[in-house]
Amino acid sequence: MTTISSDFDVESVRRDFPILHQRLLGDVPLVYLDTAATAHKPRSVVAKVVECFEQYNSNVHRGIHQLGDRMTTELELAREKVQHFIGAGSSDEIVFTSGTTMSLNMVAHGWARKFLKPGDEILLNSMEHHANLVPWQLAAAATGASLKYIPLTDDGRLDLTTLDQLLTPRTKLLAVTAMSNVLGTINPVAELAERAHAVGALICVDAAQSVPHLTTNVRSPQIDFLAFSGHKLYGPTGIGVLYARRQLLEAMDPFLAGGHMIREVFLDSSTWADPPAKFEAGTCPFIEAVGLGAAIDYVQHIGLSQISHYEHLLSVRAHEQLAQVPGVKIHGPSVEHKGAILSFTVDGVHPHDLSDLLDRRGVAIRAGHHCTMPLHELLNLTATARASLAFYNTMEEVDALAEAVRAARQVFRLK
Ligand code: 7TS
């Protein structure tokens, strides 16, 4: 077995997450291995949200009283934190949305529907989450553009051998996840961006799974659109981000219309405010945005490279431990090509039964198609069990997962 060494102080980190210290039915400790679905929130994020509600809750960008000014200042500070966290050139390129899904829909509506025409192509692949597939299907249907797919290798990576044939001057957009929420595959975004740009296409990156675990820089490589969710980044629900280059935000149509996103309104027409306001119609989730800013502070305080390193060690251990359980198949690439997400099947045990049995031991995993039906079709499976790890997990919890899977097999009397 690989020697695992890390000076990462996981016990100190865990003290920041009160939810982790509970016992569940049967007096078993919680082993939370479902961070890819949503991450827990450190005390500092909860405290910041409480501070907002208790001390200066007030609607933003109205500029009429002291509470409103304070809340607006906090919101714009959070926007700057996001900007620096992902390496954007300006905070005006940071649009607050409700999450990854809305961010991607914003591009599909505001950019794709405006600029695509029959004959144009959008290049996708079948490991994408539905949030990075279905909006493009609708945009293609509305514009007459067509969808093309980069094939996958047997081990669940993008097969780039056909990329030269697939990427042509007809390609207008390449939409790709930076990290698969099922296979854990880390996709070569830098190479894809460069090759897409070489044919004049734009790249849209679904960073929902990568932003919490890997360093992101939207200017190196140059990314055109990038989407992620606050709740997977240890922040509140209901807040997400769309990053887009300023020229694209200026060229795109707004997604939602109403208050705040306008410059002037007449009875028969309107003009738009500058980005990001143009894309933030109505009252934005300003307290959630401030909570996201606090989450970014927290992650940066620990350090993303520390986080990535420790999570990789957890992932190595999890792969080794699970691989030793008879009948277990882990889907996706080998551990060096992926983030700390393990989707697996156990011969003779349905993933839903497995997750139910694991839950009785306090081990929380997810079972199902994880919003990737085309990927599961390709794997010839209807469902997988998925354990997803974060820096607040311990080696002991990883061992508890493997132990619980062994025990589940025994319930089914599997040899
Ligand atoms: N893209 C990826 C890669 C995701 O993993 C998810 C959510 C989304 C987009 C959508 O994010 P949302 O915040 O807008 O919902 N993925 C999962 C998951 O794997 N289990 O639950 C949610």
Side-chain angles (χ1 to χ4, degrees), residues 3 7 22 56-59 82 87 92 108 111 119 143 169 188 232 265 315 341 349 358 366 391:
T3 314
D7 48 13
Q22 62 185 290
Y56 40 88
N57 170 49
S58 203
N59 212 332
V82 173
D92 292 345
W111 180 82
T143 59
K232 295 188 202 283
V265 177
S315 180
I341 294 177
V349 189
L358 263 56
R366 190 177 165 188
F391 61 83

PDB file of all heavy atoms in Angstrom, residues 3 7 22 56-59 82 87 92 108 111 119 143 169 188 232 265 315 341 349 358 366 391:
ATOM      1  N   THR A   3       2.484   4.657   0.964  1.00  0.00           N
ATOM      2  CA  THR A   3       2.647   5.325   2.251  1.00  0.00           C
ATOM      3  C   THR A   3       1.957   6.680   2.164  1.00  0.00           C
ATOM      4  O   THR A   3       2.203   7.459   1.246  1.00  0.00           O
ATOM      5  CB  THR A   3       4.145   5.555   2.540  1.00  0.00           C
ATOM      6  OG1 THR A   3       4.808   4.352   2.244  1.00  0.00           O
ATOM      7  CG2 THR A   3       4.378   5.952   3.978  1.00  0.00           C
ATOM      8  N   ASP A   7       1.030  16.569   6.403  1.00  0.00           N
ATOM      9  CA  ASP A   7       1.007  17.320   7.655  1.00  0.00           C
ATOM     10  C   ASP A   7      -0.260  18.175   7.728  1.00  0.00           C
ATOM     11  O   ASP A   7      -0.371  19.085   8.520  1.00  0.00           O
ATOM     12  CB  ASP A   7       2.275  18.164   7.823  1.00  0.00           C
ATOM     13  CG  ASP A   7       2.585  18.960   6.570  1.00  0.00           C
ATOM     14  OD1 ASP A   7       1.696  19.050   5.696  1.00  0.00           O
ATOM     15  OD2 ASP A   7       3.715  19.482   6.467  1.00  0.00           O
ATOM     16  N   GLN A  22     -21.745  14.973  14.441  1.00  0.00           N
ATOM     17  CA  GLN A  22     -22.981  14.414  14.986  1.00  0.00           C
ATOM     18  C   GLN A  22     -23.018  12.910  14.848  1.00  0.00           C
ATOM     19  O   GLN A  22     -22.310  12.317  14.045  1.00  0.00           O
ATOM     20  CB  GLN A  22     -24.176  15.011  14.269  1.00  0.00           C
ATOM     21  CG  GLN A  22     -24.217  14.694  12.788  1.00  0.00           C
ATOM     22  CD  GLN A  22     -25.359  15.421  12.116  1.00  0.00           C
ATOM     23  OE1 GLN A  22     -26.512  15.102  12.339  1.00  0.00           O
ATOM     24  NE2 GLN A  22     -25.024  16.414  11.310  1.00  0.00           N
ATOM     25  N   TYR A  56     -26.835  44.256   9.113  1.00  0.00           N
ATOM     26  CA  TYR A  56     -27.002  45.258   8.043  1.00  0.00           C
ATOM     27  C   TYR A  56     -27.822  44.768   6.854  1.00  0.00           C
ATOM     28  O   TYR A  56     -27.711  45.321   5.766  1.00  0.00           O
ATOM     29  CB  TYR A  56     -25.642  45.812   7.579  1.00  0.00           C
ATOM     30  CG  TYR A  56     -24.533  44.794   7.463  1.00  0.00           C
ATOM     31  CD1 TYR A  56     -24.343  44.081   6.289  1.00  0.00           C
ATOM     32  CD2 TYR A  56     -23.676  44.558   8.533  1.00  0.00           C
ATOM     33  CE1 TYR A  56     -23.330  43.159   6.186  1.00  0.00           C
ATOM     34  CE2 TYR A  56     -22.655  43.629   8.438  1.00  0.00           C
ATOM     35  CZ  TYR A  56     -22.490  42.935   7.266  1.00  0.00           C
ATOM     36  OH  TYR A  56     -21.493  42.012   7.164  1.00  0.00           O
ATOM     37  N   ASN A  57     -28.649  43.739   7.076  1.00  0.00           N
ATOM     38  CA  ASN A  57     -29.533  43.297   5.990  1.00  0.00           C
ATOM     39  C   ASN A  57     -30.310  44.479   5.420  1.00  0.00           C
ATOM     40  O   ASN A  57     -30.978  45.210   6.141  1.00  0.00           O
ATOM     41  CB  ASN A  57     -30.527  42.270   6.532  1.00  0.00           C
ATOM     42  CG  ASN A  57     -31.613  41.963   5.515  1.00  0.00           C
ATOM     43  OD1 ASN A  57     -31.308  41.695   4.349  1.00  0.00           O
ATOM     44  ND2 ASN A  57     -32.868  42.037   5.925  1.00  0.00           N
ATOM     45  N   SER A  58     -30.194  44.652   4.143  1.00  0.00           N
ATOM     46  CA  SER A  58     -30.877  45.757   3.479  1.00  0.00           C
ATOM     47  C   SER A  58     -30.656  45.571   1.990  1.00  0.00           C
ATOM     48  O   SER A  58     -29.623  45.028   1.596  1.00  0.00           O
ATOM     49  CB  SER A  58     -30.236  47.070   3.930  1.00  0.00           C
ATOM     50  OG  SER A  58     -31.138  48.111   3.758  1.00  0.00           O
ATOM     51  N   ASN A  59     -31.611  46.005   1.171  1.00  0.00           N
ATOM     52  CA  ASN A  59     -31.416  45.741  -0.258  1.00  0.00           C
ATOM     53  C   ASN A  59     -30.245  46.573  -0.804  1.00  0.00           C
ATOM     54  O   ASN A  59     -29.932  47.644  -0.298  1.00  0.00           O
ATOM     55  CB  ASN A  59     -32.696  45.984  -1.051  1.00  0.00           C
ATOM     56  CG  ASN A  59     -32.787  45.041  -2.258  1.00  0.00           C
ATOM     57  OD1 ASN A  59     -31.765  44.621  -2.789  1.00  0.00           O
ATOM     58  ND2 ASN A  59     -33.985  44.710  -2.676  1.00  0.00           N
ATOM     59  N   VAL A  82     -14.371  36.854  -5.486  1.00  0.00           N
ATOM     60  CA  VAL A  82     -14.559  35.863  -6.556  1.00  0.00           C
ATOM     61  C   VAL A  82     -13.603  36.176  -7.705  1.00  0.00           C
ATOM     62  O   VAL A  82     -12.932  35.289  -8.239  1.00  0.00           O
ATOM     63  CB  VAL A  82     -16.023  35.851  -7.064  1.00  0.00           C
ATOM     64  CG1 VAL A  82     -16.149  34.941  -8.279  1.00  0.00           C
ATOM     65  CG2 VAL A  82     -16.983  35.418  -5.963  1.00  0.00           C
ATOM     66  N   GLY A  87      -8.991  34.536 -10.827  1.00  0.00           N
ATOM     67  CA  GLY A  87      -8.015  35.213 -11.683  1.00  0.00           C
ATOM     68  C   GLY A  87      -8.617  36.090 -12.758  1.00  0.00           C
ATOM     69  O   GLY A  87      -7.964  36.361 -13.783  1.00  0.00           O
ATOM     70  N   ASP A  92     -16.197  43.343 -12.803  1.00  0.00           N
ATOM     71  CA  ASP A  92     -17.365  43.494 -13.686  1.00  0.00           C
ATOM     72  C   ASP A  92     -17.619  42.241 -14.527  1.00  0.00           C
ATOM     73  O   ASP A  92     -18.657  42.120 -15.183  1.00  0.00           O
ATOM     74  CB  ASP A  92     -17.162  44.670 -14.665  1.00  0.00           C
ATOM     75  CG  ASP A  92     -17.165  45.998 -13.932  1.00  0.00           C
ATOM     76  OD1 ASP A  92     -17.602  46.023 -12.772  1.00  0.00           O
ATOM     77  OD2 ASP A  92     -16.714  46.995 -14.529  1.00  0.00           O
ATOM     78  N   ALA A 108     -26.337  29.902 -22.683  1.00  0.00           N
ATOM     79  CA  ALA A 108     -27.107  29.255 -23.757  1.00  0.00           C
ATOM     80  C   ALA A 108     -28.175  30.207 -24.303  1.00  0.00           C
ATOM     81  O   ALA A 108     -28.442  30.228 -25.508  1.00  0.00           O
ATOM     82  CB  ALA A 108     -27.743  27.964 -23.249  1.00  0.00           C
ATOM     83  N   TRP A 111     -26.030  34.131 -25.147  1.00  0.00           N
ATOM     84  CA  TRP A 111     -24.994  34.106 -26.189  1.00  0.00           C
ATOM     85  C   TRP A 111     -25.377  33.151 -27.327  1.00  0.00           C
ATOM     86  O   TRP A 111     -25.460  33.573 -28.478  1.00  0.00           O
ATOM     87  CB  TRP A 111     -23.632  33.705 -25.583  1.00  0.00           C
ATOM     88  CG  TRP A 111     -22.559  33.680 -26.617  1.00  0.00           C
ATOM     89  CD1 TRP A 111     -21.858  34.748 -27.092  1.00  0.00           C
ATOM     90  CD2 TRP A 111     -22.130  32.542 -27.373  1.00  0.00           C
ATOM     91  NE1 TRP A 111     -21.011  34.349 -28.097  1.00  0.00           N
ATOM     92  CE2 TRP A 111     -21.154  32.993 -28.282  1.00  0.00           C
ATOM     93  CE3 TRP A 111     -22.474  31.193 -27.359  1.00  0.00           C
ATOM     94  CZ2 TRP A 111     -20.523  32.139 -29.174  1.00  0.00           C
ATOM     95  CZ3 TRP A 111     -21.844  30.333 -28.248  1.00  0.00           C
ATOM     96  CH2 TRP A 111     -20.873  30.811 -29.148  1.00  0.00           C
ATOM     97  N   GLY A 119     -25.925  25.281 -39.254  1.00  0.00           N
ATOM     98  CA  GLY A 119     -24.584  24.958 -39.753  1.00  0.00           C
ATOM     99  C   GLY A 119     -23.519  25.107 -38.679  1.00  0.00           C
ATOM    100  O   GLY A 119     -22.455  24.495 -38.759  1.00  0.00           O
ATOM    101  N   THR A 143     -31.786  27.426 -32.701  1.00  0.00           N
ATOM    102  CA  THR A 143     -31.000  28.177 -33.688  1.00  0.00           C
ATOM    103  C   THR A 143     -30.700  27.380 -34.955  1.00  0.00           C
ATOM    104  O   THR A 143     -30.208  27.952 -35.933  1.00  0.00           O
ATOM    105  CB  THR A 143     -29.626  28.579 -33.084  1.00  0.00           C
ATOM    106  OG1 THR A 143     -28.942  27.370 -32.699  1.00  0.00           O
ATOM    107  CG2 THR A 143     -29.791  29.496 -31.886  1.00  0.00           C
ATOM    108  N   PRO A 169     -13.889  25.103 -38.378  1.00  0.00           N
ATOM    109  CA  PRO A 169     -14.410  26.483 -38.350  1.00  0.00           C
ATOM    110  C   PRO A 169     -15.919  26.535 -38.101  1.00  0.00           C
ATOM    111  O   PRO A 169     -16.451  27.587 -37.756  1.00  0.00           O
ATOM    112  CB  PRO A 169     -14.045  27.023 -39.736  1.00  0.00           C
ATOM    113  CG  PRO A 169     -12.847  26.218 -40.132  1.00  0.00           C
ATOM    114  CD  PRO A 169     -13.073  24.850 -39.573  1.00  0.00           C
ATOM    115  N   PRO A 188      -8.394  18.243 -19.752  1.00  0.00           N
ATOM    116  CA  PRO A 188      -7.278  19.144 -20.096  1.00  0.00           C
ATOM    117  C   PRO A 188      -7.799  20.481 -20.641  1.00  0.00           C
ATOM    118  O   PRO A 188      -7.737  20.750 -21.844  1.00  0.00           O
ATOM    119  CB  PRO A 188      -6.516  18.356 -21.160  1.00  0.00           C
ATOM    120  CG  PRO A 188      -7.548  17.494 -21.816  1.00  0.00           C
ATOM    121  CD  PRO A 188      -8.598  17.190 -20.764  1.00  0.00           C
ATOM    122  N   LYS A 232     -21.180  24.239  -3.501  1.00  0.00           N
ATOM    123  CA  LYS A 232     -20.159  23.179  -3.583  1.00  0.00           C
ATOM    124  C   LYS A 232     -18.795  23.704  -3.138  1.00  0.00           C
ATOM    125  O   LYS A 232     -17.841  22.955  -3.022  1.00  0.00           O
ATOM    126  CB  LYS A 232     -20.068  22.629  -5.009  1.00  0.00           C
ATOM    127  CG  LYS A 232     -21.343  21.923  -5.478  1.00  0.00           C
ATOM    128  CD  LYS A 232     -21.121  21.250  -6.809  1.00  0.00           C
ATOM    129  CE  LYS A 232     -22.399  20.996  -7.577  1.00  0.00           C
ATOM    130  NZ  LYS A 232     -23.182  19.869  -7.102  1.00  0.00           N
ATOM    131  N   VAL A 265     -35.852  52.786 -19.256  1.00  0.00           N
ATOM    132  CA  VAL A 265     -37.048  52.048 -19.661  1.00  0.00           C
ATOM    133  C   VAL A 265     -38.062  53.026 -20.242  1.00  0.00           C
ATOM    134  O   VAL A 265     -38.356  54.056 -19.627  1.00  0.00           O
ATOM    135  CB  VAL A 265     -37.663  51.297 -18.459  1.00  0.00           C
ATOM    136  CG1 VAL A 265     -38.954  50.590 -18.872  1.00  0.00           C
ATOM    137  CG2 VAL A 265     -36.676  50.286 -17.896  1.00  0.00           C
ATOM    138  N   SER A 315      -7.893  10.356  -1.796  1.00  0.00           N
ATOM    139  CA  SER A 315      -8.390   9.655  -2.972  1.00  0.00           C
ATOM    140  C   SER A 315      -7.567   8.389  -3.247  1.00  0.00           C
ATOM    141  O   SER A 315      -8.109   7.324  -3.538  1.00  0.00           O
ATOM    142  CB  SER A 315      -8.335  10.618  -4.163  1.00  0.00           C
ATOM    143  OG  SER A 315      -8.809  10.008  -5.319  1.00  0.00           O
ATOM    144  N   ILE A 341     -13.276  11.843  -6.409  1.00  0.00           N
ATOM    145  CA  ILE A 341     -14.649  11.364  -6.611  1.00  0.00           C
ATOM    146  C   ILE A 341     -14.557   9.924  -7.087  1.00  0.00           C
ATOM    147  O   ILE A 341     -13.836   9.638  -8.042  1.00  0.00           O
ATOM    148  CB  ILE A 341     -15.371  12.216  -7.683  1.00  0.00           C
ATOM    149  CG1 ILE A 341     -15.562  13.657  -7.197  1.00  0.00           C
ATOM    150  CG2 ILE A 341     -16.711  11.590  -8.058  1.00  0.00           C
ATOM    151  CD1 ILE A 341     -16.209  14.595  -8.219  1.00  0.00           C
ATOM    152  N   VAL A 349     -25.001  -6.081  -5.767  1.00  0.00           N
ATOM    153  CA  VAL A 349     -25.652  -5.133  -4.855  1.00  0.00           C
ATOM    154  C   VAL A 349     -26.041  -3.891  -5.659  1.00  0.00           C
ATOM    155  O   VAL A 349     -25.183  -3.227  -6.251  1.00  0.00           O
ATOM    156  CB  VAL A 349     -24.721  -4.690  -3.689  1.00  0.00           C
ATOM    157  CG1 VAL A 349     -25.516  -3.875  -2.658  1.00  0.00           C
ATOM    158  CG2 VAL A 349     -24.043  -5.876  -3.029  1.00  0.00           C
ATOM    159  N   LEU A 358     -25.123   1.529   3.658  1.00  0.00           N
ATOM    160  CA  LEU A 358     -24.032   2.384   4.156  1.00  0.00           C
ATOM    161  C   LEU A 358     -24.582   3.452   5.104  1.00  0.00           C
ATOM    162  O   LEU A 358     -23.966   3.770   6.130  1.00  0.00           O
ATOM    163  CB  LEU A 358     -23.290   3.041   2.988  1.00  0.00           C
ATOM    164  CG  LEU A 358     -22.006   2.349   2.526  1.00  0.00           C
ATOM    165  CD1 LEU A 358     -22.227   0.902   2.158  1.00  0.00           C
ATOM    166  CD2 LEU A 358     -21.351   3.106   1.380  1.00  0.00           C
ATOM    167  N   ARG A 366     -23.809   8.969  -2.464  1.00  0.00           N
ATOM    168  CA  ARG A 366     -24.945   9.172  -3.338  1.00  0.00           C
ATOM    169  C   ARG A 366     -25.073   7.978  -4.281  1.00  0.00           C
ATOM    170  O   ARG A 366     -24.061   7.384  -4.675  1.00  0.00           O
ATOM    171  CB  ARG A 366     -24.765  10.459  -4.159  1.00  0.00           C
ATOM    172  CG  ARG A 366     -26.029  10.828  -4.890  1.00  0.00           C
ATOM    173  CD  ARG A 366     -25.971  12.117  -5.663  1.00  0.00           C
ATOM    174  NE  ARG A 366     -27.138  12.099  -6.557  1.00  0.00           N
ATOM    175  CZ  ARG A 366     -27.376  12.976  -7.513  1.00  0.00           C
ATOM    176  NH1 ARG A 366     -26.533  13.971  -7.714  1.00  0.00           N
ATOM    177  NH2 ARG A 366     -28.431  12.883  -8.278  1.00  0.00           N
ATOM    178  N   PHE A 391     -11.603  18.025   1.963  1.00  0.00           N
ATOM    179  CA  PHE A 391     -10.471  18.137   2.899  1.00  0.00           C
ATOM    180  C   PHE A 391     -10.894  17.953   4.348  1.00  0.00           C
ATOM    181  O   PHE A 391     -10.053  17.796   5.213  1.00  0.00           O
ATOM    182  CB  PHE A 391      -9.750  19.477   2.703  1.00  0.00           C
ATOM    183  CG  PHE A 391     -10.612  20.688   2.950  1.00  0.00           C
ATOM    184  CD1 PHE A 391     -10.810  21.159   4.237  1.00  0.00           C
ATOM    185  CD2 PHE A 391     -11.227  21.344   1.903  1.00  0.00           C
ATOM    186  CE1 PHE A 391     -11.606  22.269   4.475  1.00  0.00           C
ATOM    187  CE2 PHE A 391     -12.036  22.454   2.131  1.00  0.00           C
ATOM    188  CZ  PHE A 391     -12.225  22.921   3.417  1.00  0.00           C
TER     189      PHE A 391
END
